[in-house]
Amino acid sequence: AVAAQVKAGVEMGTGERNAALFTRLEFVPAPAVGAGLAIHLFAEKTVPGSATGLKIHLTNTGDERLSDLAISLEVPPGMAVDHRSWTCSPLGAGEVQERVAVLTGVPEKATAQIAVKATAKAAGKTVEFAQATPVDLSDAQPLTVASQKLLLPELPEMKVKLGAYYFPVMLDWGDGSRLGLRAMGSMEPLLGYYNERSPEVADWHIAWARRHGISWFAVDWYWNQGEELINEALDEGLMNSRFFDQMQFCIHWCNQDPTCTTFRAYDYSQETLRELAATLCDRYFSRKNYLTIDGEPVFMVFQPVSLINDNGGLAGAKAALDAMEAAVRLRGFKGIHFIAVNNSPVVPDYAAAGFDSVAPYSFLFANLLPEQTDRMAFDYGRIVQRYVEWLGLAQRQAHAQGLSFIPTAWAGWDDLPRLGEARRAQSSVTVGNTPAAFRSMAQALPDHVEKEHPLALVEAWNEWGEGTVIEPGKEHGFDYLSALLNVLGQTPPKTYQVPVPDQVSYDRMQTRPLHLDAAPYAERLNAARQWSSGLKMDFENKRGLWLRANWLMAYAWIDGGSLHALASGDGAALDSPSPIWLDAAKVGGIGMRLKTAQATSVLLQWKNGRDAAWQSTAPVPIGGGAWETCRFDCAGRPGWSGSIDQFRFVFKTNPESVEVDWVETFTLD
């Protein structure tokens, strides 16, 4: 047999170019695998007096056809089942089958297991397989208490040092620009639509997480050249919790969010990374509960490819990370443990770039094809087996570079709250990602942790807008957390009490949709940065103001003193930062110097508020490939009044490049 491994990477960043880190096609002789059968058992929570569903998921993981396949089921005392054996059709390599049984009764012991045995013929020989799983989710019994009486539970003994990605989630509650969970009604946290800036909310999160064996949060953190977004969930909420010192945390730098590139392009230069190091040391690394590995504070990077490309490759990235680490050492720390977040089973040469470990955020849909319904739906049962295989593949590649590995279990996906019903056909969802199926994925984590530092992660605690959630919710209660306790706890309980807030506490934690302090949540962070009398963008480096590509502009980047962009369709635009708040009584218009070979015209648009309609000038003819200056006089035009929130340049063009030398406002005489 011959196996092909394609190492190809062209990652299109949000508004900023990310060129290929590596492109390599390798054909390697593959040793024979032989017969293989993966068995996953998805046993739902048992309820006395009710039937319980059981799915037996079979995947041929070998390279031999399995014929005469038969499976038998054993259930523990206290339970009965409607089917105990099946004869299955043959399974070719990579093929999947599923069988369903109905269980009744309740197991007598919390540690009771369901066992499956399978026999088959492969290459003329009889082969046998077996798998067992806990039969039941531990049962959480809610106990209502007031927040001020909430106590910190003991951390149970776990098979891994379990963490969870923690997302600043309030943006997903909803407002006019993002439909959100309030409008969908499909998902709702047990805490309601809470104010994540509240330490009271953080008290509940930490208490619930610790009770179920989660001892650290990897907090999604948004920063670019000093500009920040939605970090109050950490700075004001978690860090002021009564229980914060008993919960470890680390920073997960989410260097991809477009709102963090509103004012400036992402810059990964040594200068900027030293500035980042100072921020991390002053605010986080000095905390006693900051997560460390071998005495070094952990720092995770969501898009390491962007950092590598911005520094010209692997060697340049290593020099930049070395400079960042040197700045940390000057402040008295041992160093930094850099973790590359890699969402593929193919691991690039991160060691050469200066990273120490690799961790997935998720493998998302694991290269499976969607089922064609009114949405793009993916079978979570099949995803489970892909994740188990890919964790092993990624870990082996990490170890080959001398990198350590942190495995991740993924709770599934549903992005309809962010897209809304009008875009249902473009939305994606995992089907069958029940707590029982999630438990089967989490069950694989201990097999892939490092012996010395057995860190493992779950994606995510509270990514509600993407349907990736283990935080207690009104649909599943504590069942996802119980699943973790069930398979990762050393002595999982059958039943246990867990506190929930009383009505007074619940009401106090709620928040209005998105708007806080009389300003939209994202915009208020930039409220002090006003250019009311005018501005200039010269694009000499990434530390100045810049224009961002809109959805029809493939990407934009700064190089050689110019802003470069590639258009992907007619109507492609370059957007200014928002909010700019130009004073229309002082600013008479905007000019730009550009060149393009293909675009035929450009016009200026602006709006007076975040949700206001766009106003427009007449288009100005351009083209020919030479530098030219366009001046858009706006004074006296209808709509050019008050405070200008944002402007943009819209191109009439075939897909082609545009280069901009400068953009500058001009004042009224």
Side-chain angles (χ1 to χ4, degrees):
V2 174
Q5 183 181 77
V6 180
K7 288 190 173 183
V10 179
E11 190 165 333
M12 308 299 285
T14 318
E16 198 169 356
R17 183 179 66 171
N18 287 313
L21 166 63
F22 52 87
T23 302
R24 187 162 68 244
L25 180 62
E26 298 177 354
F27 289 95
V28 294
V33 175
L37 181 68
I39 305 171
H40 292 278
L41 302 173
F42 306 152
E44 303 297 341
K45 181 177 179 180
T46 61
V47 179
S50 301
T52 301
L54 172 68
K55 291 183 180 179
I56 305 170
H57 203 277
L58 308 172
T59 305
N60 185 338
T61 56
D63 53 12
E64 299 281 359
R65 176 182 169 87
L66 299 178
S67 60
D68 298 336
L69 178 60
I71 58 176
S72 61
L73 180 67
E74 295 181 5
V75 298
M79 302 199 77
V81 63
D82 65 339
H83 285 85
R84 289 185 177 271
S85 61
W86 294 264
T87 299
C88 305
S89 56
L91 269 182
E95 292 182 346
V96 171
Q97 286 190 38
E98 190 172 82
R99 293 294 182 268
V100 177
V102 177
L103 300 168
T104 53
V106 177
E108 295 177 0
K109 297 181 180 180
T111 56
Q113 291 190 329
I114 296 175
V116 168
K117 295 182 179 179
T119 61
K121 289 285 185 66
K125 297 181 180 180
T126 299
V127 289
E128 297 181 350
F129 308 93
Q131 180 64 43
T133 192
V135 67
D136 196 14
L137 300 175
S138 298
D139 193 20
Q141 300 294 318
L143 176 66
T144 301
V145 300
S147 290
Q148 59 268 28
K149 294 185 178 181
L150 179 65
L151 301 177
L152 184 68
E154 292 292 327
L155 184 70
E157 187 178 358
M158 303 292 285
K159 299 174 184 177
V160 299
K161 185 178 176 66
L162 187 61
Y165 288 103
Y166 190 100
F167 178 68
V169 73
M170 273 170 54
L171 286 174
D172 287 317
W173 294 162
D175 78 333
S177 63
R178 179 177 286 192
L179 189 60
L181 278 83
R182 293 178 190 267
M184 301 307 302
S186 57
M187 291 176 278
E188 184 176 351
L190 203 60
L191 287 183
Y193 302 117
Y194 51 76
N195 183 352
E196 65 192 17
R197 300 165 67 191
S198 166
E200 184 177 357
V201 170
D203 287 349
W204 285 98
H205 284 180
I206 293 173
W208 285 342
R210 274 182 58 93
R211 179 63 187 87
H212 296 89
I214 297 172
S215 59
W216 58 288
F217 284 140
V219 182
D220 292 353
W221 190 73
Y222 298 81
W223 183 96
N224 176 40
Q225 298 188 53
E227 298 287 346
E228 296 188 42
L229 171 73
I230 58 178
N231 289 340
E232 295 94 335
L234 172 61
D235 294 344
E236 299 179 24
L238 286 169
M239 290 176 64
N240 288 307
S241 165
R242 292 185 288 135
F243 308 140
F244 183 61
D245 289 345
Q246 302 302 312
M247 187 73 174
Q248 289 188 293
F249 78 105
C250 71
I251 294 299
H252 172 219
W253 185 22
C254 296
N255 57 323
Q256 95 290 357
D257 191 277
T259 312
C260 266
T261 64
T262 288
F263 287 86
R264 295 170 180 86
Y266 267 113
D267 177 41
Y268 302 98
S269 65
Q270 295 186 26
E271 177 186 3
T272 296
L273 293 185
R274 282 191 289 265
E275 178 186 349
L276 172 58
T279 299
L280 294 170
C281 290
D282 293 346
R283 284 164 58 177
Y284 307 118
F285 287 178
S286 57
R287 294 272 178 166
K288 292 182 179 180
N289 60 325
Y290 196 88
L291 182 70
T292 62
I293 295 179
D294 294 330
E296 296 182 337
V298 168
F299 180 62
M300 306 179 73
V301 181
F302 183 71
Q303 284 192 341
V305 171
S306 300
L307 187 150
I308 292 167
N309 289 331
D310 198 64
N311 283 284
L314 299 169
K318 187 177 188 309
L321 292 184
D322 286 348
M324 183 177 176
E325 189 161 37
V328 166
R329 287 182 175 137
L330 286 174
R331 291 174 174 264
F333 296 90
K334 183 179 178 181
I336 303 180
H337 189 96
F338 291 107
I339 298 179
V341 178
N342 192 67
N343 300 317
S344 164
V346 178
V347 179
D349 302 326
Y350 288 137
F355 288 92
D356 302 294
S357 294
V358 173
Y361 196 66
S362 80
F363 297 132
L364 207 62
F365 307 121
N367 288 353
L368 292 173
L369 295 175
E371 299 175 9
Q372 298 301 317
T373 63
D374 64 330
R375 305 177 64 185
M376 290 182 285
F378 299 85
D379 182 357
Y380 186 83
R382 296 187 65 191
I383 288 172
V384 168
Q385 177 55 30
R386 289 284 181 96
Y387 270 58
V388 172
E389 292 175 358
W390 285 8
L391 287 175
L393 175 60
Q395 185 175 38
R396 289 192 295 273
Q397 292 178 75
H399 286 176
Q401 300 180 42
L403 301 171
S404 60
F405 186 71
I406 302 173
T408 302
W410 183 55
W413 184 270
D414 187 346
D415 58 10
L416 195 60
R418 288 190 180 169
L419 297 180
E421 287 291 346
R423 297 173 63 190
R424 171 176 280 271
Q426 287 80 49
S427 68
S428 301
V429 64
T430 49
V431 177
N433 53 309
T434 64
F438 169 70
R439 177 177 60 186
S440 187
M441 183 182 289
Q443 196 169 2
L445 292 177
D447 295 331
H448 300 286
V449 295
E450 307 295 345
K451 291 182 179 179
E452 187 174 356
H453 301 288
L455 299 175
L457 275 162
V458 174
E459 161 48 20
W461 176 261
N462 57 341
E463 192 90 61
W464 286 95
E466 295 177 353
T468 309
V469 181
I470 61 170
E471 177 189 353
K474 293 195 173 178
E475 181 180 3
H476 292 289
F478 289 86
D479 286 352
Y480 283 100
L481 293 177
S482 295
L484 293 174
L485 192 60
N486 204 220
V487 294
L488 300 179
Q490 294 288 7
T491 55
K494 182 170 178 56
T495 60
Y496 62 100
Q497 285 190 329
V498 60
V500 296
D502 64 7
Q503 191 63 48
V504 173
S505 302
Y506 176 91
D507 292 342
R508 189 168 52 242
M509 290 184 282
Q510 304 310 292
T511 188
R512 301 184 305 278
L514 196 65
H515 289 68
L516 299 170
D517 301 335
Y521 190 35
E523 293 181 9
R524 67 189 174 84
L525 300 176
N526 297 319
R529 299 175 175 91
Q530 298 187 36
W531 293 268
S532 60
S533 298
L535 56 82
K536 182 176 181 178
M537 304 178 188
D538 58 18
F539 312 119
E540 289 302 316
N541 56 60
K542 291 188 174 183
R543 300 184 69 82
L545 291 175
W546 84 313
L547 299 172
R548 279 174 39 202
N550 81 335
W551 67 282
L552 280 175
M553 191 72 75
Y555 45 77
W557 70 99
I558 293 172
D559 185 47
S562 297
L563 178 82
H564 304 258
L566 288 184
S568 61
D570 189 40
L574 290 169
D575 295 351
S576 82
S578 172
I580 290 291
W581 293 321
L582 298 173
D583 186 346
K586 298 178 181 178
V587 177
I590 305 174
M592 68 186 307
R593 184 171 184 259
L594 79 162
K595 66 178 178 179
T596 177
Q598 294 295 110
T600 57
S601 67
V602 60
L603 58 85
L604 174 72
Q605 291 186 337
W606 71 90
K607 59 180 180 178
N608 300 90
R610 179 170 176 268
D611 298 318
W614 288 97
Q615 311 286 330
S616 181
T617 66
V620 173
I622 56 173
W627 285 107
E628 51 191 315
T629 300
C630 300
R631 178 183 171 103
F632 300 94
D633 293 295
C634 300
R637 289 180 177 272
W640 188 264
S641 60
S643 179
I644 307 302
D645 178 89
Q646 188 178 18
F647 63 86
R648 68 185 184 189
F649 300 103
V650 183
F651 296 89
K652 179 77 173 178
T653 178
N654 296 318
E656 189 50 81
S657 63
V658 176
E659 187 174 353
V660 182
D661 184 30
W662 51 258
V663 172
E664 186 173 5
T665 60
F666 47 88
T667 58
L668 294 170
D669 296 331

